[in-house]
Amino acid sequence: MQLEDSVKTVKGVGDKMMTLLEKLNIFTVRDLIRHYPTDYDNFEMPVQINSVSEGQIVTVEGAVSRVTTRPTARKKVITCYVSDPSGALKLVWFNQQYLLKLLKPGYRFLFRGTVKRDNADYAVTQPKMYQRQEYAKLLGCLQPKYGLTKGITSAFLSKAVKQVFTEIKIEENLPAAFRKENNLMKLSDAIKTIHFPKNMNEALEARRRLVFDEFLDFILALRALKTKKEEAVNNFVISDYSACDRLVGELPFKLTNAQEKAFNDIKKDMSSERLMSRMVEGDVGSGKTVIAMLSVLAAVQAGYQAAVMVPTEVLAKQHFADFEEKLNKYNVRTIILVGSMTSAQKKKAYEKMAKHEADVVIGTHALIQEGLQFDNLALAVIDEQHRFGVNQRKALKDKGLHPHVLSMSATPIPRSLSLILYGDMDLSVINEMPAERKPIKNAVVDTGYRPTALNFIRKEVISGHQAYIICPLVEESEDSDGENVIDYTDNVKDFFALSAIKNGDGKLIRTEYLHGRMKASEKNEIMERFAAGEIDVLISTTVIEVGVNVKNATVMMIENSERFGLAQLHQLRGRVGRGAAQSYCIFMKGSESKEIDDRLDILKNNNDGFKVAEEDLRLRGPGDLFGVRQSGELSWKLADIYADAPLLSLASEYAGIVSDQG
Ligand code: ADP
Ligand code: MG
């Protein structure tokens, strides 16, 4: 077995499973063993039923009694009680009718799940069931929990991973002396251990090694991306910015000082003898797009072509519309190129760029496909650059004869870290928000506040605004009791319909949902309708997180806020507060703890992404890294730029040694 082999070569993985694994982006054996646990389950001895308390994950053992089942509109519900000598505890399952065969009065099982309040008492919803011997095997070890999709369980994944380890050899890439000196595990041990650690310390040790490798790969690839010194001659000297000055004068707003400074940096670069390689870093909503637009305009005025690569089709369309609207009168011919276009449409786009019948192409990954050739590409803009792999960025750049490269990122990274991470890229920071913006008003609330929040959203809609509601899940899941987009949308529609009757105003709130498993064309349609104001409330997973700009949206409500990384929550919040109206962000907590409150308070008290990152780091201890990660940010599986800064330095140092030798 080789790492590059299809996962199908793993025993137990058939065609059906393969299709499911692909949903998790697992295609090869390598992908499988790099699908790291997101957390571990620690199986402990069963506890007495009268000792359980709210919020705990517990295992109880006892006899089943009072089994009842009833259908509701959307769910088939089973309830029963489990009793031990100390008391009885209510158990509830949804849509798991097959359990009825096992749940016979008097039968004994172990049940494991999270304790919740149930009126005056406690209950466990969706508990897992075990026979005694089965549970004994799990006791006392950490069991990996993985990111899952319907039809795949953590048990299945861990079995498949174990199977791979019996058949594969993983090559070491670091010299023993360096590993020893820096306390880095062997790579093969690290990968095994992160799946099956004996204890949390071991897991953290393994993680440390893997984080080092993630940083090292990133840095080495970035260095490969850098144009060699002798090649960095500027073949596209751009010195006329008169059209840009005119465009600036026509904008409906005045550029902030920080925007002006960033664009001045760019002008200096593009008119100099050396190629531009610049990163523009600015918090969400700080106005990076207009900087890209000005740079593109300058390139086109000088007779060259430009490309703008963005991570999603929705964003591509939005930028395309924006560029067309503002640049048409400067005779800039803009086209779009995205994956969902037909091959005939793509061919036409290729032709236009190759023959220079168009000046600017805006698109997704589709830009780096083979068919696209340029006449004279002078500028490659990479928006939300952290969303792209280094190879993708390089592929775009290689489309031209050493074009200027302008990268844009909303990931707030302290300057010292940016310098290590981006090496010798030049950096412009937009550290200022447009003056007209009112700071977003934040609230952290529990689910009891949900009706109030929905009524508030309804009021905002009636006064002409729009809202987003984010849920962590797409559909109901056996492994998680987080809110899901599909059921939530049904409930919210019911809620709004009832409110219209109660208030006697008959107001229709147009509510739709959006999630990552929808077809690209469906997603685009929903996003476009939301942008056009034809949808009032959009209920979505985090797919809307990146870059989308609907100025009229004034409320962001995030269900199960405790499940997201702070940086991700900050990005989500950045979808509102983009216009002059007062905006609101409601962080809804799905469970209670001091830790959750502390974390969410950081967001409540800070609207600045750099501050959020700083405070977050201060709060988290090193042992906390398997908890909620900064997911959705820079493209690593494990590494966290803030918390792992020392490893980043170490990787950078080592990369220096390797490239000097190479
Ligand atoms: P981001 O930095 O997140 O990419 P955008 O470029 O999408 O932000 O800008 C967010 C919104 O702010 C857009 O609607 C844009 O037109 C507007 N905007 C940009 N610069 C300014 C400014 N100086 N003053 C007022 N509004 C601005
Ligand atoms: Mg943007």
Side-chain angles (χ1 to χ4, degrees):
M1 186 186 284
Q2 304 291 322
L3 288 172
E4 290 72 33
D5 290 349
S6 156
V7 271
K8 242 188 98 177
T9 54
V10 181
K11 222 161 76 191
V13 180
D15 283 331
K16 197 170 143 234
M17 272 306 177
M18 199 171 75
T19 329
L20 293 177
L21 287 169
E22 283 175 3
K23 283 197 190 168
L24 298 172
N25 284 322
I26 299 175
F27 300 92
T28 63
V29 172
R30 173 184 279 111
D31 298 336
L32 176 65
I33 62 172
R34 297 274 179 179
H35 189 68
Y36 302 130
T38 51
D39 200 358
Y40 303 93
D41 247 343
N42 196 358
F43 288 80
E44 279 151 359
M45 291 296 282
V47 298
Q48 292 209 327
I49 284 174
N50 68 355
S51 73
V52 306
S53 60
E54 193 178 351
Q56 264 185 321
I57 296 175
V58 295
T59 305
V60 296
E61 180 174 18
V64 173
S65 65
R66 285 188 274 167
V67 184
T68 57
T69 171
R70 74 193 147 86
T72 65
R74 288 182 202 97
K75 290 174 181 162
K76 296 201 177 72
V77 183
I78 303 177
T79 50
C80 79
Y81 284 79
V82 53
S83 318
D84 71 7
S86 76
L89 181 64
K90 186 173 170 186
L91 307 172
V92 184
W93 288 272
F94 306 113
N95 296 334
Q96 303 203 34
Q97 295 305 94
Y98 63 93
L99 289 178
L100 284 173
K101 283 204 207 87
L102 302 168
L103 291 171
K104 301 285 185 211
Y107 280 29
R108 298 181 67 82
F109 292 100
L110 291 99
F111 297 95
R112 185 166 192 273
T114 310
V115 180
K116 298 215 170 137
R117 188 147 286 285
D118 181 65
N119 298 323
D121 217 339
Y122 294 128
V124 179
T125 40
Q126 305 283 71
K128 294 259 158 57
M129 267 170 82
Y130 304 90
Q131 308 271 6
R132 194 173 249 195
Q133 293 125 313
E134 208 184 336
Y135 197 81
K137 277 196 209 144
L138 298 171
L139 258 183
C141 8
L142 293 181
Q143 297 295 324
K145 292 211 278 196
Y146 295 98
L148 298 173
T149 181
K150 202 173 189 162
I152 292 195
T153 61
S154 284
F156 171 83
L157 284 173
S158 87
K159 206 168 146 204
V161 170
K162 271 194 187 131
Q163 176 65 29
V164 171
F165 287 146
T166 64
E167 293 186 43
I168 208 145
K169 196 171 169 303
I170 293 162
E171 302 281 343
E172 181 56 55
N173 55 333
L174 294 180
F178 179 80
R179 278 195 289 107
K180 193 150 171 252
E181 191 182 327
N182 295 289
N183 276 323
L184 292 165
M185 264 188 189
K186 262 174 133 169
L187 181 60
S188 55
D189 292 343
I191 294 181
K192 276 179 210 164
T193 306
I194 197 143
H195 288 282
F196 307 111
K198 287 205 196 70
N199 51 49
M200 211 54 196
N201 261 346
E202 249 194 37
L204 286 170
E205 279 303 302
R207 180 186 179 279
R208 193 165 173 276
R209 166 63 208 257
L210 296 171
V211 166
F212 176 87
D213 279 36
E214 285 182 356
F215 282 141
L216 181 62
D217 288 349
F218 185 89
I219 291 170
L220 288 177
L222 263 187
R223 301 212 170 168
L225 177 68
K226 193 174 175 265
T227 312
K228 289 193 202 77
K229 261 213 178 80
E230 60 272 21
E231 293 171 349
V233 177
N234 182 358
N235 292 311
F236 304 104
V237 176
I238 297 169
S239 22
D240 179 3
Y241 293 91
S242 53
C244 300
D245 295 339
R246 263 185 289 147
L247 177 58
V248 167
E250 282 169 9
L251 289 171
F253 47 75
K254 192 173 165 313
L255 290 185
T256 61
N257 290 336
Q259 282 172 314
E260 239 170 58
K261 181 163 179 318
F263 188 51
N264 277 336
D265 291 342
I266 292 168
K267 286 197 245 183
K268 233 181 259 163
D269 289 348
M270 296 203 297
S271 58
S272 79
E273 283 163 18
R274 300 280 306 279
L275 270 184
M276 171 168 73
S277 169
R278 181 165 293 278
M279 165 72 67
V280 174
E281 208 179 274
D283 210 347
V284 276
S286 60
K288 294 182 292 295
T289 315
V290 66
I291 301 300
M293 195 184 290
L294 288 166
S295 313
V296 164
L297 177 59
V300 174
Q301 287 295 300
Y304 303 124
Q305 291 177 305
V308 182
M309 185 160 75
V310 300
T312 65
E313 289 206 4
V314 169
L315 202 52
K317 293 212 165 139
Q318 197 177 284
H319 278 6
F320 175 63
D322 202 17
F323 274 54
E324 275 221 302
E325 183 205 314
K326 299 212 173 76
L327 296 184
N328 259 355
K329 69 167 87 137
Y330 295 91
N331 301 320
V332 177
R333 297 160 298 177
T334 307
I335 63 167
I336 184 164
L337 182 60
V338 291
S340 68
M341 282 161 52
T342 64
S343 42
Q345 288 170 324
K346 281 185 196 161
K347 221 174 121 200
K348 194 142 181 229
Y350 296 158
E351 220 176 271
K352 283 197 167 164
M353 290 317 284
K355 293 191 183 153
H356 207 146
E357 289 166 9
D359 309 296
V360 185
V361 58
I362 299 180
T364 53
H365 305 91
L367 293 190
I368 58 180
Q369 268 148 22
E370 275 180 16
L372 182 65
Q373 303 285 338
F374 292 86
D375 173 37
N376 59 1
L377 178 69
L379 171 65
V381 180
I382 301 164
D383 194 13
E384 306 283 345
Q385 63 85 33
H386 56 276
R387 293 279 164 164
F388 295 101
V390 170
N391 290 336
Q392 292 168 322
R393 286 179 248 161
K394 183 164 158 50
L396 178 63
K397 184 187 142 197
D398 287 348
K399 291 276 179 183
L401 176 75
H402 310 311
H404 298 292
V405 178
L406 179 62
S407 302
M408 315 203 126
S409 172
T411 307
I413 303 175
R415 190 172 183 94
S416 57
L417 294 181
S418 296
L419 291 179
I420 300 171
L421 191 63
Y422 301 127
D424 22 30
M425 244 187 230
D426 297 304
L427 188 65
S428 302
V429 178
I430 304 187
N431 54 2
E432 184 183 0
M433 285 289 171
E436 58 163 42
R437 300 279 166 79
K438 297 194 181 76
I440 296 170
K441 290 192 175 158
N442 303 298
V444 177
V445 297
D446 59 40
T447 51
Y449 186 82
R450 194 181 286 135
T452 316
L454 288 174
N455 274 323
F456 176 73
I457 287 176
R458 190 170 179 275
K459 267 201 215 115
E460 281 289 300
V461 169
I462 290 173
S463 69
H465 294 297
Q466 289 163 283
Y468 300 95
I469 302 178
I470 307 298
C471 299
L473 304 175
V474 175
E475 58 198 350
E476 184 165 331
S477 150
E478 288 172 25
D479 294 284
S480 167
D481 51 8
E483 296 297 333
N484 74 80
V485 164
I486 307 236
D487 289 337
Y488 198 94
T489 305
D490 280 347
N491 293 337
V492 167
K493 280 185 173 166
D494 289 353
F495 182 93
F496 285 146
L498 258 173
S499 298
I501 297 169
K502 268 196 219 152
N503 291 303
D505 56 15
K507 281 278 182 332
L508 175 72
I509 311 291
R510 296 161 300 177
T511 306
E512 297 287 346
Y513 66 72
L514 181 74
H515 60 72
R517 294 201 197 140
M518 288 159 62
K519 283 200 211 110
S521 56
E522 292 170 344
K523 278 190 276 191
N524 286 335
E525 195 215 305
I526 293 283
M527 245 355 273
E528 272 161 27
R529 282 171 52 207
F530 187 70
E534 293 163 18
I535 294 172
D536 302 310
V537 177
L538 184 61
I539 298 175
S540 172
T541 54
T542 54
V543 291
I544 59 115
E545 170 192 346
V546 181
V548 180
N549 186 31
V550 178
K551 276 186 165 182
N552 191 43
T554 52
V555 188
M556 166 61 72
M557 171 152 122
I558 305 167
E559 289 283 350
N560 296 110
S561 293
E562 72 282 0
R563 298 188 177 212
F564 299 102
L566 291 192
Q568 195 175 15
L569 290 171
H570 178 69
Q571 286 282 329
L572 287 167
R573 172 169 62 186
R575 294 313 110 218
V576 298
R578 301 175 83 83
Q582 177 64 55
S583 287
Y584 306 87
C585 186
I586 304 168
F587 299 101
M588 185 78 67
K589 299 179 282 187
S591 49
E592 294 286 338
S593 77
K594 162 126 179 26
E595 217 182 310
I596 291 170
D597 285 340
D598 287 348
R599 276 166 34 84
L600 294 178
D601 275 349
I602 293 178
L603 288 163
K604 188 170 128 192
N605 300 328
N606 298 284
N607 277 327
D608 172 344
F610 285 90
K611 279 269 161 56
V612 170
E614 225 171 75
E615 291 292 310
D616 182 26
L617 182 53
R618 192 168 312 165
L619 192 70
R620 284 184 295 163
D624 199 18
L625 297 175
F626 280 102
V628 184
R629 285 201 296 262
Q630 299 292 306
S631 58
E633 282 305 289
L634 291 146
S635 53
W636 300 296
K637 285 180 189 286
L638 293 170
D640 177 322
I641 181 92
Y642 308 108
D644 296 316
L647 281 171
L648 176 64
S649 301
L650 185 63
S652 161
E653 223 172 88
Y654 183 74
I657 302 169
V658 189
S659 8
D660 285 351
Q661 287 166 351

